Amino acid sequence: MSRRPDHRMRQDREHAVGMGIHRAVERVREGSMPGSDNSMKTLTVLETTKQAEWFMEQPQHDPPLVVTPEAAQTCRDSGTAYTRIEDYVPLNKRFTEYASNLDDYLDWEQWLDQWSRSAMPEYDRAGFNPASCTSFLLQFLFGEVWSAATTVNDILDIVKPERTRCWSPRVPGVPWHLHPTVSAIPAVLPSLARARGVAFDDLSEVQPKCTPESDASVHGRESRAGSVSTWSRQLKQKLREFPAVNDLLFPGGDHKLESRGRSRRDRPHILVSGSDYGLMEAARELRHHGARVTIIADSLLEKAEQIPDSPNLDAYRRAVRDNSEQLLQTPRFWEPLEALGIGHIDLWSAPFLFWWEQLVPILWSAFNDATGRLRTGRYTALLTWDVSGSSTSSAAVAAATNLGIPCYVLQHGSSSGVSPLIWQSYLRFCDHFLVYGDGTRKELSAASNVPRRCEITPVGSILLDAFRNAPAAADTNRLRTNLQGDDHRPIVLYVPTCFGCYGRSFHDLAAYPDVSYFELQMEVLALWNTVTSTRLVYKDFILANYPNEVMATFIRRHVKDAVVTTQRLKDLIWAADAIVIDHAITAIGEVLMTDKPIVCYMPQPSASAPEAAALLRKRANVAETPAVFMSMVRDLLARKSYAGITRPNTEFLRHYCTHDNNGRSAERAASVILAQPSHQ
């Protein structure tokens, strides 16, 4: 007898979810904002499922402000009304305002480098600038706090609450990418509310079990790196794939590719930092052109494992720790927050302490190793993929720069939608940036307010060249059979972007506010319940910065016969009959390598140049609004056949992905490197 009420409750919940989807879509379609009277007595910010569940058990209050998809989903499951940040503030407004914040960041980065060299004389003697080595990561942290504070002030101006409340987040752990896995909105709200004389209740004191905490565990790419021995095995396997490799040496972490021909003394010797993102293919081409190549690992975690204990190292670590307190007591350290009206919060201090005590020592060790290696005079150039601080390659670039050795960096990730402001560290810290296409070169060259050092040269994407040929038919058929099971309907693959990406509101994801994007995805995916002639396969990404499973959970509960998979995208695109992609950046290049029918969501305004969307329309159905996106997906699902496109247009690919589109990106990269005068 106990099952019947549970069954009714489940039906009620699913009905509420269905109604919630409908209400959300109407709101998204109409682009409506709250009415002219936006005021409320109490502004409650909800971030987590536990917080939303606690809120619903309390006496009635004004609708809460939900800042994450999981909080929104919990409210929807119970039929609880809520508001979103984007109901009050068009978040892509931050994108248009970001240039001045970047100027402030670059000034502050310069100060942080000066302070670091003053605190640690060995840094000054060596010319090591730790903030510059991690510019990309620090830029996003700096911008995230600015964006959150500016947005909260806008909301307070509109809502005019008498009281505010939220759970102040704790930051006991910081991931390697320096961005705590908690929302910045509740972190900045207390200071900004009190500065206006608005009462603030810290719900962490009322219900401490609901207090969000930043998770320091490592997800995504770094967690897959494994140990040094694992990396060595993987690299050896990659090297064995190269034909006619005459000599493989593995002393002290060096991995050398030798070739016959010119004498060792006469051949250019290229140091390659890292092995991903097409570097191995570029190394092979360099070797084929007669160069010597040495490859070194660049994983932060692997470098941390390699640093040996010694009395000198112990003294260095003590000096680093002693200076941590000095950093927190330096007024200039807090100036960016004070300028925004924010007090001293853990969301700011904890990442910087982790940066100073954990990340900087690893980069310092890598910097010294690279300096010692490059100072021998054997190397004529450095090739890598990263100057952001997310690997030790940024330290290698800094060492090469100090010694006047040319640095070449391969673009990794993105195609269109590239904001030159976000790529500032690449424009400032390498000599030659080898990008995907001439469209990318033009967009990056437009960064008039970024001090650019590098020459930008389009060579194409080495990674995308690998997508050019479909996998063996047997492999694709095997994957397709695994996905379909006994269900032989056509497969439509949905490729999403991510939730909670740091810096979301001031870079290429500005047009994808978390909650609205979650609502839109739910409505789009629910189309598979009404147009049942195809089967949904949803590509679930494992994210380093936000391991959120709310979308996968929704699909499993509410989209019949759907498949949620972490299978590699490069395999899925060939097994599908058609593709829906809702972010025209990295993955768009991959899906365009196929002949599949494609629907792409490219909301405006965005970082993309207008010609990017125009070129993409020649190959795919491109939607710029939620309503058009819904309509295009519905039409795609209603098709009776999904024949491949004959001679698909490649103009977008050429401008933003593959340059000449002939599969020879690695050869072009090698030619650019070997064209420098010292290599002739």
Side-chain angles (χ1 to χ4, degrees):
M1 294 179 62
S2 62
R3 291 193 172 195
R4 186 175 297 273
D6 289 343
H7 178 66
R8 286 201 190 103
M9 289 175 64
R10 185 165 59 252
Q11 285 183 323
D12 290 344
R13 282 196 301 269
E14 295 196 0
H15 175 72
V17 170
M19 292 301 293
I21 292 174
H22 177 72
R23 288 195 299 269
V25 170
E26 289 304 311
R27 181 167 55 186
V28 172
R29 282 178 179 166
E30 296 168 6
S32 62
M33 303 287 276
S36 57
D37 183 12
N38 295 297
S39 61
M40 60 176 66
K41 294 189 66 174
T42 302
L43 175 65
T44 305
V45 177
L46 301 181
E47 178 180 356
T48 69
T49 294
K50 288 183 178 180
Q51 292 174 9
E53 290 172 345
W54 177 88
F55 177 86
M56 291 181 290
E57 294 172 355
Q58 307 309 304
Q60 286 297 311
H61 286 278
D62 292 311
L65 176 70
V66 299
V67 295
T68 61
E70 58 263 41
Q73 179 62 64
T74 306
C75 289
R76 299 166 73 84
D77 283 346
S78 67
T80 301
Y82 61 82
T83 62
R84 312 161 302 177
I85 294 172
E86 53 270 28
D87 287 332
Y88 305 101
V89 180
L91 283 179
N92 50 31
K93 181 182 178 184
R94 301 288 89 89
F95 177 80
T96 63
E97 300 167 341
Y98 179 61
S100 61
N101 180 257
L102 177 60
D103 291 340
D104 293 340
Y105 166 73
L106 294 177
D107 289 342
W108 193 80
E109 176 190 281
Q110 184 178 25
W111 165 81
L112 188 57
D113 273 331
Q114 292 171 347
W115 177 89
S116 300
R117 295 195 306 271
S118 174
M120 302 292 290
E122 53 265 66
Y123 292 174
D124 190 49
R125 289 192 295 271
F128 176 60
N129 293 300
S132 296
C133 272
T134 49
S135 182
F136 183 85
L137 301 180
L138 298 183
Q139 166 195 5
F140 272 71
L141 182 60
F142 191 99
E144 190 74 21
V145 173
W146 160 79
S147 176
T150 307
T151 296
V152 167
N153 275 324
D154 285 350
I155 292 174
L156 292 176
D157 285 341
I158 295 170
V159 173
K160 298 179 175 59
E162 298 176 7
R163 180 173 297 275
T164 60
R165 57 182 192 163
C166 69
W167 282 263
S168 297
R170 295 184 63 249
V171 190
V174 178
W176 286 97
H177 52 71
L178 301 183
H179 291 261
T181 56
V182 291
S183 171
I185 297 293
V188 304
L189 176 60
S191 297
L192 299 177
R194 289 168 177 152
R196 294 166 174 259
V198 177
F200 172 75
D201 298 332
D202 190 346
L203 295 177
S204 297
E205 300 173 359
V206 178
Q207 191 67 13
K209 291 182 179 180
C210 296
T211 302
E213 292 190 355
S214 177
D215 183 6
S217 62
V218 180
H219 305 276
R221 178 178 180 270
E222 291 178 350
S223 65
R224 298 195 296 270
S227 65
V228 177
S229 60
T230 300
W231 186 87
S232 251
R233 288 195 301 272
Q234 293 171 345
L235 182 54
K236 287 179 182 179
Q237 180 59 41
K238 288 182 180 180
L239 293 177
R240 291 190 185 103
E241 295 172 2
F242 295 166
V245 174
N246 303 305
D247 191 15
L248 293 179
L249 301 176
F250 293 86
D254 289 357
H255 307 275
K256 298 181 180 179
L257 290 150
E258 302 288 3
S259 64
R260 298 185 180 93
R262 297 157 62 183
S263 68
R264 290 168 58 91
R265 183 186 299 271
D266 295 337
R267 292 202 305 270
H269 194 168
I270 314 300
L271 180 63
V272 177
S273 183
S275 64
D276 293 330
Y277 299 106
L279 285 173
M280 293 301 295
E281 291 79 2
R284 177 181 59 189
E285 289 298 331
L286 287 166
R287 184 181 63 82
H288 286 335
H289 283 70
R292 299 170 60 202
V293 177
T294 297
I295 305 167
I296 58 174
D298 71 342
S299 166
L300 291 170
L301 300 185
E302 290 156 12
K303 185 61 182 175
E305 292 177 3
Q306 289 177 323
I307 299 175
D309 290 327
S310 69
N312 289 340
L313 182 62
D314 291 340
Y316 164 77
R317 285 173 171 163
R318 284 195 299 272
V320 168
R321 287 193 298 270
D322 291 345
N323 280 295
S324 297
E325 189 62 30
Q326 180 189 340
L327 178 62
L328 296 185
Q329 293 176 358
T330 304
R332 184 73 170 94
F333 174 74
W334 298 102
E335 278 186 14
L337 272 68
E338 293 170 352
L340 296 168
I342 304 171
H344 295 190
I345 56 175
D346 287 347
L347 190 79
W348 182 258
S349 58
F352 279 101
L353 287 180
F354 181 90
W355 168 79
W356 178 250
E357 295 180 355
Q358 302 294 330
L359 183 55
V360 170
I362 295 173
L363 294 172
W364 169 239
S365 177
F367 175 85
N368 285 325
D369 289 350
T371 299
R373 187 186 303 274
L374 294 167
R375 190 172 278 156
T376 62
R378 297 196 306 265
Y379 298 98
T380 53
L382 172 74
L383 172 64
T384 188
W385 63 281
D386 176 51
V387 297
S388 71
S390 56
S391 74
T392 60
S393 286
S394 60
V397 169
T401 299
N402 282 356
L403 296 171
I405 295 174
C407 301
Y408 295 80
V409 177
L410 295 178
Q411 179 185 348
H412 69 282
S414 89
S415 49
S416 68
V418 178
S419 168
L421 304 185
I422 302 307
W423 289 83
Q424 57 84 16
S425 59
Y426 290 81
L427 301 178
R428 293 166 58 207
F429 297 131
C430 69
D431 297 293
H432 300 270
F433 194 17
L434 309 182
V435 300
Y436 286 178
D438 200 55
T440 307
R441 180 192 63 79
K442 290 177 180 178
E443 291 189 1
L444 292 176
S445 299
S448 57
N449 62 328
V450 174
R452 193 179 101 200
R453 163 183 149 195
C454 71
E455 180 178 340
I456 306 171
T457 305
V459 298
S461 169
I462 299 172
L463 283 182
L464 289 178
D465 286 346
F467 284 70
R468 187 166 301 279
N469 298 317
D475 294 336
T476 298
N477 291 337
R478 189 179 306 112
L479 174 58
R480 188 176 176 89
T481 299
N482 290 338
L483 293 172
Q484 285 182 312
D486 295 329
D487 187 338
H488 297 290
R489 289 175 295 170
I491 291 174
V492 177
L493 173 66
Y494 191 104
V495 184
T497 184
C498 52
F499 292 118
C501 181
Y502 50 82
R504 185 179 199 90
S505 56
F506 59 88
H507 74 324
D508 59 278
L509 288 173
Y512 296 78
D514 276 344
V515 178
S516 290
Y517 173 58
F518 166 66
E519 293 171 343
L520 176 61
Q521 261 202 63
M522 284 197 301
E523 177 67 7
V524 171
L525 296 173
L527 291 173
W528 269 265
N529 287 334
T530 57
V531 185
T532 59
S533 55
T534 67
R535 190 172 193 187
L536 167 66
V537 172
Y538 184 88
K539 166 58 180 167
D540 195 17
F541 289 100
I542 301 172
L543 303 175
N545 58 302
Y546 195 70
N548 186 308
E549 297 186 359
V550 64
M551 204 70 245
T553 300
F554 168 81
I555 294 169
R556 293 186 181 105
R557 288 180 180 175
H558 302 294
V559 183
K560 186 178 180 182
D561 299 325
V563 176
V564 178
T565 179
T566 56
Q567 181 77 31
R568 294 185 308 177
L569 182 61
K570 64 183 296 184
D571 299 323
L572 290 171
I573 58 178
W574 296 104
D577 295 286
I579 300 170
V580 176
I581 179 169
D582 65 18
H583 187 203
I585 195 162
T586 301
I588 190 66
E590 300 175 9
V591 303
L592 288 176
M593 300 303 290
T594 73
D595 61 352
K596 313 291 182 178
I598 297 170
V599 169
C600 178
Y601 181 46
M602 197 175 186
Q604 298 296 322
S606 74
S608 303
E611 53 265 31
L615 293 176
L616 187 56
R617 286 192 188 92
K618 296 183 179 183
R619 167 61 180 90
N621 293 306
V622 179
E624 294 184 349
T625 67
V628 173
F629 185 43
M630 288 281 297
S631 176
M632 285 185 172
V633 174
R634 188 181 294 108
D635 291 344
L636 180 71
L637 299 185
R639 289 191 189 181
K640 295 183 179 179
S641 65
Y642 296 92
I645 296 174
T646 304
R647 299 184 66 183
N649 185 282
T650 61
E651 290 180 71
F652 182 91
L653 275 173
R654 290 172 180 269
H655 278 76
Y656 295 100
C657 304
T658 58
H659 193 42
D660 286 346
N661 201 41
N662 60 2
R664 300 171 66 180
S665 300
E667 183 178 340
R668 282 190 292 274
S671 297
V672 171
I673 295 168
L674 295 177
Q676 72 178 59
S678 62
H679 289 158
Q680 299 304 307

